[in-house]
Amino acid sequence: MAATMSGTGLTFPDSSVLSGIIGTNYIAKWATATQVTHGNTQDAYLNLEVIMPAPKSNNSRYLVMSEVHCDDTNSGGGGVGLSIWVENTVSSYWVNQQGTHADYYSGGADHYWTIQSMIMDDGNVAQSPAINTSQRRKYRVYGDNHNSNMYFCTTNVGGRIGWTGYLFVCELDGGLF
């Protein structure tokens, strides 16, 4: 005999019940940029922003992924990393900061980079504000560099096709946790 579904529950032949949310409930938004901000300063805003609506649950989580392409100035050593910033209707904080040495090299040469960041924001990581159903969240990506010789690209780097950066944010409904 097969299991039967009723409302948000699933009843098995031995009368055991799986209740709660059946299926995946999520909201996903993303931003891409064909030209991110061309900057070589510490914490350079890269023109990547996603505004999420108020979450479905205070227990929701946000999967945040970003990728940015960059190039150096062919000078001495340097490094690069990404930072994810979040703002709710009350405050703003860094969710994740990779630091300027997330990827690092020494010596002059022509280097191209694809820098990635991925984090699960549960409202408790780093300085992230608590997740609250009455507050939308805005995510942004910032580039960090060491020795001020890394540029977050506005041009086609190394034959790249497509965007120079993206930010993807997906709310995972708190009922799943």
Side-chain angles (χ1 to χ4, degrees):
M1 180 176 160
T4 57
M5 294 181 69
S6 61
T8 60
L10 185 63
T11 304
F12 294 96
D14 66 355
S15 298
S16 61
V17 176
L18 172 65
S19 63
I21 296 171
I22 305 298
T24 303
N25 293 305
Y26 60 89
I27 297 171
K29 290 191 174 189
W30 59 91
T32 62
T34 54
Q35 293 193 343
V36 300
T37 301
H38 186 277
N40 69 341
T41 60
Q42 184 68 18
D43 295 328
Y45 174 54
L46 300 182
N47 199 31
L48 293 169
E49 178 179 287
V50 168
I51 299 174
M52 297 296 287
K56 296 177 80 172
S57 165
N58 289 340
N59 294 322
S60 286
R61 309 286 192 268
Y62 292 92
L63 175 62
V64 183
M65 297 184 291
S66 185
E67 178 179 287
V68 175
H69 302 276
C70 49
D71 187 12
D72 68 357
T73 60
N74 303 336
S75 62
V80 65
L82 295 178
S83 294
I84 306 295
W85 173 89
V86 64
E87 172 188 83
N88 62 10
T89 55
V90 177
S91 56
S92 64
Y93 297 94
W94 293 111
V95 175
N96 185 34
Q97 287 182 300
Q98 289 182 336
T100 61
H101 284 72
D103 280 304
Y104 186 81
Y105 66 93
S106 60
D110 194 12
H111 295 90
Y112 297 100
W113 301 83
T114 299
I115 305 301
Q116 299 172 330
S117 177
M118 181 172 71
I119 190 164
M120 184 71 74
D121 179 9
D122 63 359
N124 294 311
V125 296
Q127 300 171 343
S128 178
I131 295 169
N132 189 309
T133 57
S134 65
Q135 300 171 344
R136 57 109 180 106
R137 289 170 94 79
K138 180 194 303 183
Y139 289 91
R140 285 186 173 175
V141 178
Y142 289 79
D144 296 316
N145 69 71
H146 180 78
N147 293 349
S148 297
N149 64 355
M150 191 67 67
Y151 288 87
F152 300 96
C153 298
T154 61
T155 59
N156 187 345
V157 175
R160 175 199 46 78
I161 297 173
W163 56 65
T164 57
Y166 76 84
L167 170 62
F168 172 83
V169 182
C170 178
E171 177 192 345
L172 302 172
D173 186 331
L176 297 172
F177 300 98

